[in-house]
Amino acid sequence: MTHEKALQTIAASNGVAADSAYGAAAPPIYLSSTFAFKGFERPGGHEYTRTSNPTRDLLADTLAKLEGGAGAVTLSSGMAAINLLLDPMERDDLVIAPHDCYSGVQRLLSAHAAKGHFKVEFVDQSDAEAVATALGRNPKLLMIETPSNPLMRVVDIRAFCEAAKKVGAKVAVDNTFLSPALQRPIPLGADFVVHSMTKFLNGHSDVVGGAVICASESDAEEMRGWANITGVTGSPFDSYLTLRGLRTLFPRLERQQRTAETIALFLQQHPSVEAVHYPGLVSHPSHALAKAQQAGFGAMLSFEVAGGIAAVRRLVESVRIFTLAESLGGVESLIAHPATMTHASMAPEARAAAGIKDNLLRLSVGLEHEGDLVSDLAQALKAPA
Ligand code: PLP
């Protein structure tokens, strides 16, 4: 009987002790930019690192297995991964994206559309009628971000994929916020999963990277081709570090999400907090969907603080363990103010339409002791005016 390996085992051990030269347990790092031919017209397994590299390929293979895809490409950033999905688009092709997607993605799509590379429509994906209308325009690609950044809105991946398939659209899911440890869009029907590997996959805030994982081998082949043409593949050293981080993805997330839940419950009952956005709370509008679709609620949450921008300033300048910084998914806890940081490039009207208020703060919960993190927020929320 064949036994399918648990995902946690794949993360911890894919490629371990497979070194044919010395039997190294940890897969070696191959920094070489080029590889010797075996003879005239006889290339070895690799020729040139932009095209393929053993260290980067092992990372891609591990990700493809974790996401249940046929193949994966790993890139120099999450934005490079999203741009790679867009490389095959033609002038009249339509791309649909959430109106509250990560602002860098919104900026990228808008810049392409302004140049006439393809058409873009931003849609409130919590509005089923708006999504159905947009799909009626025969898009080439439907992009989904769930849970969304920073409001933690959750959409039904399986239902979206079924609806998109009916109109011949491919579906790409940004799985950055949960990782395959907590959500696997490909078995739910997605054609592509994209990641900013900068976040939970690497998990140590010391690499910027991205990945596209494809459900079909033909899409994987096309993505590999575009990555080679445009030269956006990730470096071997970054790939090595990311694979090292990926080894502990499951235990990290398990611990981080437990602490996130404790923090969400603490904030929910705090008199200076007006709203908490965390899918693990029973009060979250998509709690039931998140529970069914995800293997956990994740380590990201956001909340609205009473007292407007003055209270925001006081809080972010009073925290001692949380660091005021962009990005997320590392072992250290971060606090960010979307309106002036991660989502500052969005027009204020677009931010307002997406529901990103000026008193919204986003937390990425790390591996510090949960008691210390709760105390830190408690003292910062009490900081005198
Ligand atoms: N997707 C999401 C959901 C993100 O939060 C980010 C970055 O914050 C990106 C994509 C872009 O990734 P990167 O910063 O690695 O280019």
Side-chain angles (χ1 to χ4, degrees):
M1 201 177 105
T2 55
H3 173 72
E4 218 176 296
K5 279 187 199 156
L7 297 180
Q8 184 171 339
T9 304
I10 293 168
S13 67
N14 192 44
V16 162
D19 167 42
S20 54
Y22 297 105
I29 174 170
Y30 291 93
L31 293 169
S32 188
S33 58
T34 190
F35 296 84
F37 276 51
K38 289 184 176 141
F40 182 60
E41 291 191 329
R42 286 202 301 130
H46 301 275
E47 293 167 43
Y48 186 54
T49 278
R50 168 160 43 74
T51 316
S52 76
N53 173 281
T55 309
R56 193 175 63 232
D57 291 359
L58 178 58
L59 172 62
D61 179 62
T62 310
L63 283 174
K65 286 179 173 144
L66 289 176
E67 289 284 7
V73 192
T74 60
L75 298 314
S76 55
S77 71
M79 292 314 302
I82 287 162
N83 202 47
L84 191 73
L85 281 177
L86 305 171
D87 279 329
M89 295 296 143
E90 294 181 24
R91 198 144 48 107
D92 291 326
D93 290 342
L94 172 65
V95 176
I96 296 176
H99 77 326
D100 58 344
C101 62
Y102 168 59
S103 66
V105 175
Q106 189 161 82
R107 187 171 48 190
L108 175 73
L109 291 170
S110 302
H112 274 300
K115 288 277 181 197
H117 297 162
F118 50 80
K119 295 178 190 146
V120 176
E121 192 178 330
F122 294 103
V123 176
D124 177 356
Q125 295 191 345
S126 62
D127 179 346
E129 218 169 286
V131 175
T133 307
L135 285 175
R137 289 195 251 284
N138 289 321
K140 188 91 170 182
L141 181 69
L142 170 66
M143 298 177 74
I144 299 175
E145 200 183 293
T146 180
S148 68
N149 178 10
L151 285 165
M152 308 302 297
R153 292 187 179 127
V154 177
V155 299
D156 188 333
I157 297 173
R158 192 190 295 276
F160 273 49
C161 290
E162 279 168 10
K165 281 242 145 120
K166 285 193 188 132
V167 297
K170 290 206 169 169
V171 179
V173 180
D174 189 328
N175 203 20
T176 297
F177 264 40
L178 290 178
S179 90
L182 301 180
Q183 176 169 272
R184 297 175 83 221
I186 288 176
L188 297 175
D191 300 283
F192 303 100
V193 169
V194 287
H195 278 282
S196 167
M197 295 195 299
T198 316
K199 320 300 187 202
F200 289 101
L201 293 182
N202 176 57
H204 293 74
S205 303
D206 51 8
V207 174
V208 172
V212 177
I213 299 103
C214 308
S216 77
E217 181 48 39
S218 58
D219 279 339
E221 206 42 53
E222 184 175 24
M223 289 292 106
R224 277 185 214 110
W226 276 108
N228 184 41
I229 291 169
T230 54
V232 289
T233 45
S235 81
F237 190 68
D238 288 355
S239 305
Y240 174 84
L241 283 178
T242 306
L243 186 61
R244 198 178 196 268
L246 197 55
R247 299 299 187 200
T248 56
L249 174 70
F250 282 74
R252 274 191 282 113
L253 259 172
E254 197 179 298
R255 182 75 220 190
Q256 285 170 248
Q257 73 171 350
R258 230 185 307 152
T259 307
E261 188 182 351
T262 303
I263 291 175
L265 290 169
F266 161 75
L267 291 171
Q268 193 182 33
Q269 54 73 48
H270 199 285
S272 302
V273 173
E274 290 176 350
V276 182
H277 308 283
Y278 183 63
L281 293 176
V282 184
S283 56
H284 187 280
S286 303
H287 174 69
L289 172 59
K291 201 169 171 183
Q293 176 167 277
Q294 305 171 190
F297 299 112
M300 296 299 301
L301 65 116
S302 57
F303 65 100
E304 292 161 27
V305 65
I309 203 76
V312 165
R313 179 188 295 272
R314 236 175 7 251
L315 200 155
V316 300
E317 289 186 346
S318 304
V319 284
R320 296 173 192 144
I321 298 176
F322 281 89
T323 298
L324 178 63
E326 296 187 357
S327 201
L328 58 110
V331 295
E332 70 294 309
S333 293
L334 304 179
I335 187 164
H337 180 234
T340 57
M341 295 168 69
T342 52
H343 290 65
S345 71
M346 256 168 116
E349 312 79 59
R351 255 197 329 263
I356 302 167
K357 297 184 188 165
D358 286 351
N359 65 343
L360 184 77
L361 287 159
R362 189 188 73 183
L363 300 181
S364 172
V365 177
L367 280 178
E368 304 90 343
H369 191 274
E370 67 175 26
D372 288 341
L373 292 175
V374 169
S375 305
D376 193 28
L377 289 171
Q379 65 81 22
L381 280 163
K382 269 201 305 216

